[in-house]
Amino acid sequence: RFRFSMSQVAAVSGVAGEDFDKLRAKAHEMGAKTKFSASEAADAMNYMAMAGWKTADMLSGIDGIMNLAAASGSDLARTSDIVTDALTAFGKQAKDSGEFADVLAAASANANTNVDLMGETFKYVGSVAGAMGYSIQDISLATGLMANSSIKGSAAGTALRSTITRMAKPTEESSMAMSVLGL
């Protein structure tokens, strides 16, 4: 299975030779020092490759992603997909994955949500929030507050996207409400 997973990484990323050897060694290392297997680490790398991450990005980003998956009890490949997609949406780079993972871990530990639900939220709001200059901390806080009120996943993402869009180009009704609130 490991060989198959690494073949996928090579095919998707286009890496070969020394770079491939580095990725294979890192997957083995992560399999030895975490609760995840080397095959699961390779599956996570595959999502990184699909997001366009290069060898150096994968080598520097996998630790944060694996720590987040371990802390949250989430599937490693799914966590990798969530982190890579959200980093792109917020205009961040692979080197930011550790900080990003810490924000998600804190939000999921302190609110009635989890990494999978937050990933679903980010799928709907991430690109709009990122384009409007909101930070991952801002959106994680909003996501946690909404989750505590039973608004989670895609419902939270859709609501946040709508709110941000209305604030960016307010309707007359939204403009009046923002004026009353002093925004």
Side-chain angles (χ1 to χ4, degrees):
R1 170 144 153 37
F2 176 73
R3 193 176 297 163
F4 173 76
S5 295
M6 287 307 299
S7 293
Q8 283 185 302
V9 172
V12 172
S13 67
V15 299
E18 188 178 319
D19 282 345
F20 181 77
D21 292 340
K22 288 178 185 177
L23 291 176
R24 184 176 50 226
K26 185 67 171 183
H28 278 298
E29 174 193 332
M30 298 310 286
K33 74 178 194 180
T34 68
K35 75 174 204 160
F36 299 104
S37 69
S39 296
E40 289 171 309
D43 291 340
M45 287 178 179
N46 192 48
Y47 279 101
M48 294 173 193
M50 287 190 282
W53 288 21
K54 304 301 178 210
T55 301
D57 298 328
M58 289 187 247
L59 293 172
S60 68
I62 196 163
D63 288 283
I65 291 171
M66 290 185 83
N67 289 338
L68 175 61
S72 66
S74 298
D75 174 76
L76 178 57
R78 171 82 175 119
T79 301
S80 180
D81 190 30
I82 289 167
V83 171
T84 57
D85 287 353
L87 284 173
T88 300
F90 284 94
K92 300 290 185 184
Q93 300 174 354
K95 65 183 173 87
D96 302 312
S97 65
E99 175 191 355
F100 185 80
D102 289 345
V103 169
L104 290 184
S108 65
N110 293 299
N112 188 12
T113 191
N114 60 45
V115 171
D116 288 336
L117 286 169
M118 292 181 76
E120 189 67 16
T121 300
F122 294 150
K123 182 174 23 172
Y124 288 88
V125 71
S127 59
V128 170
M132 297 301 294
Y134 289 95
S135 71
I136 187 60
Q137 289 86 350
D138 295 332
I139 301 304
S140 292
L141 176 62
T143 299
L145 291 171
M146 293 176 80
N148 287 344
S149 296
S150 296
I151 305 167
K152 303 175 187 180
S154 59
T158 301
L160 280 171
R161 182 184 66 221
S162 177
T163 300
I164 291 169
T165 303
R166 281 185 171 202
M167 287 173 49
K169 187 174 181 188
T171 63
E172 186 176 327
E173 184 180 283
S174 297
S175 183
M176 287 179 8
M178 289 179 1
S179 181
V180 167
L181 294 170
L183 300 175

